[in-house]
Amino acid sequence: MEDHEEDDLQKALRMSMQHEPPEPKRSKARDDSAETPLEESPEVKNRRLQRELMAAAAEKRMMAASAAMPTTATITSAPKDVPSSSEASSSRVDKTVAIVKEDKFLGKELSSDEAQQLFSMVFGNEVSKGILAQWSNQGIRFSPDEETSMGLVQHEGGPCGVLAAIQAFVLKYLLFFPQELVKGVQNTPMKSISRRLQENQDSVSNIFGSLTEETKSRALVRSMGEILFLCGNNNSATIASLKIFDQNIEGEDEKAKDEIVARSLEGLSLESGVDLQKVLTVTTFTSPASAMQRLESMIPIFRSRMGALLFLLSALLSRGLETVQSDRDDPSQPLVTAPFGHASQEIVNLLLSGMAVANVFDGKMDLGGGMFVKGILTPVEVGFLTLLESLNFCKVGQSLKSPKWPIWVVGSESHYTVLFALDPQVQAENEFENRETTIRRAFDSQDQSGGGGFISVDGFRQVLRETNVNLPPEKMEALCSSGFIVWSEFWQVLLDLDKGFGGLKDSTGLMGKKVFSLWHFNGIAKAVSGSEVGVQRPRLTKLRVSVPPRWTPEEFMAGGGGGSGGGDEVVEVEKPERTQHAPLVDCVRTRWARAVCNWEGNPPSIV
């Protein structure tokens, strides 16, 4: 009986997808001479009429079940019979199925306690109206300028940490996964932007300017989906929306949709947990395909003035409010920092690593008494550099400094921007760099100071065993005499220790010289007082980077090449070229020590 009923449902589904509605066809007066073959027997005719009646009944059951279907906050899998979005636009069949699936995206409300906890976690209990205005008036939109059309524009201070993190992932897809951004060719190899530049010698601005809105939108959807699933331990993603947008957003084009959304948001303000509870809906997905489809349908909402805030709330809910609080060192403080409303490091780390930790070092730091504070515990896709490291306020670990892809969010005291390379090989290490990285990782694993650069004698002995470094007794005694070993002193010893003993001494003086290009994007668009232009536009700056030989300070001052053990041979090495300076250069040097940077025009700005 169940099999027959399933057949009936399938028949009804097929009938509902016909170009002409089936109901008039059944109610139409029949002309047996026109519709029924002359040789049709009464028995066959009765069976045919019975099948039509059963199909009609099954269709009515389906419509009733769809109308009575409860809204759900969990989508376990994408419907198997739902085609791709490109197929959906090609026929009425796909459009019908897509509407049924869209109904399943209706979200659930937060409880009053959840809404209050979420609001307090983000803004605290004494947030100013100015900060709320900043976070309620920042959409996720691409720059209209051709040269920076791949970049997200920031109009309000504060949400730059959210925008920069999304931007980093958008660049990952635009630069290195172009095949995933074109419908119907996901399994077809395509040339990356870096390869196109190498073969065609085309400018980056021309290539970025040629990106279609559809390509950029798909990169944005994939980026947001990846971040949210990262926050959900790759098991689920929660997407926050507003009740007024639970239904389809009608409109002939994207501009019309944007206008509808903007009108709907007139007068809306979120000033308390009560407001969140009234207007917010959330939907949790365990299927990436379903989540991507939901995000794609919400692009006009994310472009709206509530976009950045809704995405931050989505990330926090994906992680889980209790889990977010357990990640943090001080959960009593709001994630949006006073008095200027900036995104905290916890927000940036959540979006980059999936954990809302406050620190940028690798692993955990033991505070004693069974207390630990957490840093970055896993490798990341895109990384992080900060001006604060060059000022000795913190130490960024290797996980964030050496991400899988050469893209970094760059932090200053008040702003977040993005630095990236077109060629992944800028992170490839030669023999010298690989050896240095191995030793530094072993050293950092014993560093209980949170990146302070010193370890205990016992930890030092463990480092020497792991890295096969054989120090002479006098060097060992000198390093351990104070009871702890400082990295800078150990580094100098390694540079003067022959390779045969596990050191890094290189008689050629080259020691890993590199030349490459980096690009810096600052998405801020704001009024500039005293400027002739009046408005600062989003800016993309190319930096030519040269990393000179890794001389010791003594060799640099003497102008020598680091000859072998007092011999007469002098290796000539070209002097470092003149460099331009800006705070961004200090950030670059935390990744590539003593890098020399040059650019054309105004210096790149990280504020």
Side-chain angles (χ1 to χ4, degrees), residues 17 19 23 29 90 96 116 118 155 159 166 183 193 218 230 240 285 358 438 457 508 545 548 562 573 582:
M17 293 178 180
H19 287 280
E23 189 63 32
S90 64
T96 304
Q116 184 57 49
L118 180 58
H155 296 285
I166 299 173
K183 293 182 180 180
I193 285 182
R218 290 173 69 86
L230 181 63
F285 300 85
T438 300
V457 173
T508 66
V545 182
V573 180

Side-chain angles (χ1 to χ4, degrees), residues 232-309:
N233 290 323
N234 292 318
N235 295 320
S236 63
T238 298
I239 301 175
S241 185
L242 301 172
K243 292 181 182 178
I244 54 178
F245 299 125
D246 267 349
Q247 302 299 326
N248 289 339
I249 302 174
E250 301 295 339
E252 296 181 358
D253 53 29
E254 296 305 309
K255 184 177 180 180
K257 292 180 181 179
D258 289 343
E259 292 175 352
I260 292 171
V261 172
R263 287 197 302 269
S264 301
L265 291 176
E266 290 178 359
L268 177 66
S269 63
L270 300 178
E271 299 180 357
S272 67
V274 175
D275 292 335
L276 274 186
Q277 201 272 334
K278 289 180 179 178
V279 304
L280 203 66
T281 63
V282 296
T283 311
T284 299
F285 300 85
T286 57
S287 163
S290 295
M292 299 289 185
Q293 194 167 26
R294 173 60 165 165
L295 289 169
E296 185 175 7
S297 71
M298 284 184 59
I299 285 297
I301 302 172
F302 285 118
R303 283 198 300 255
S304 78
R305 65 179 180 88
M306 300 297 297
L309 178 58

Side-chain angles (χ1 to χ4, degrees), residues 451-472:
F454 58 88
I455 61 177
S456 66
V457 173
D458 289 341
F460 183 55
R461 295 183 189 278
Q462 179 64 26
V463 170
L464 297 181
R465 287 192 294 269
E466 290 179 2
T467 58
N468 297 316
V469 175
N470 185 14
L471 291 179

Side-chain angles (χ1 to χ4, degrees), residues 145-150 193 197 202-211 422 519 540:
D145 299 337
E146 181 177 0
E147 183 178 351
T148 58
S149 63
M150 84 303 166
I193 285 182
L197 285 169
D202 202 354
S203 68
V204 172
S205 60
N206 287 344
I207 289 182
F208 283 148
S210 66
L211 294 173
L422 304 177
W519 296 82
L540 182 66

Side-chain angles (χ1 to χ4, degrees), residues 462-539:
Q462 179 64 26
V463 170
L464 297 181
R465 287 192 294 269
E466 290 179 2
T467 58
N468 297 316
V469 175
N470 185 14
L471 291 179
E474 65 275 12
K475 295 289 187 182
M476 185 72 178
E477 182 178 354
L479 286 172
C480 298
S481 60
S482 62
F484 58 88
I485 291 81
V486 180
W487 167 257
S488 58
E489 296 176 356
F490 180 38
W491 173 245
Q492 293 303 317
V493 171
L494 289 172
L495 288 174
D496 197 40
L497 185 67
D498 287 334
K499 291 182 179 180
F501 295 98
L504 297 168
K505 191 169 186 178
D506 184 356
S507 60
T508 66
L510 295 177
M511 302 177 76
K513 180 176 182 179
K514 284 185 170 184
V515 177
F516 54 90
S517 295
L518 294 174
W519 296 82
H520 178 255
F521 175 72
N522 186 348
I524 195 73
K526 62 181 181 181
V528 181
S529 59
S531 170
E532 294 182 1
V533 179
V535 177
Q536 177 178 325
R537 306 294 297 177
R539 186 172 172 216

